[in-house]
Amino acid sequence: MKKIEIKASLTVYDSLDELSEDVKALMVKAVAARKNAYAPYSKFRVGAALKLKNNEIVIGNNQENAVYPSGLCAERVAIYQAGALYPNVAIETIAISASSDVFNVLTPTPPCGACRQSIFEYEENQKSAIEIYFMGETGKVVKADSVKDLLPLTFGKATLNNI
Ligand code: THU
């Protein structure tokens, strides 16, 4: 028997102003996208903006449903849209921002477990890391260099194919 440790590394920025101009512009698009979320039930709005290798930007926001589990998170709306529009183009960066209609979201909001799993599928296929930046409404921004820092034990096609 032995214990193992799993390391994850994240970078924390004090505000949007510490980001590069490109990433800041992408986060501004995520903030704009979150305003158009359809979130009448949770009143929690999430926006995501992806930058692709061909320089296209694809956005998404959460889309809820009266049958709650039928809704979809912002991150998956965005990556599936990217997969639909540009099937063979790598995703370089994802920017995520969350706000609420009923309280101030002041802590950085990471993608949920299901979104991490979905992002991993794309990362594994494209064979290059996807940088993930996430924030609340304002304030600190956190960066993961790869979804593997948020989901260290991955289950993917390699697991299924024993490769
Ligand atoms: N949500 C996202 O859009 N992304 C996440 O990573 C976490 C949660 C949405 C889903 C739902 O519409 C609302 O936030 C509350 O869970």
Side-chain angles (χ1 to χ4, degrees), residues 75-89:
E75 297 88 332
R76 277 177 286 163
V77 168
I79 55 171
Y80 293 156
Q81 172 74 341
L85 288 173
Y86 308 105
N88 297 310
V89 181

Side-chain angles (χ1 to χ4, degrees), residues 58-76:
V58 176
I59 61 108
N61 45 35
N62 50 325
Q63 297 293 319
E64 296 186 349
N65 191 279
V67 180
Y68 293 4
S70 299
L72 198 61
C73 292
E75 297 88 332
R76 277 177 286 163

Side-chain angles (χ1 to χ4, degrees), residues 42 44 46 62 64 73-75 110-112 115:
S42 71
F44 195 79
V46 185
N62 50 325
E64 296 186 349
C73 292
E75 297 88 332
C112 77
C115 288

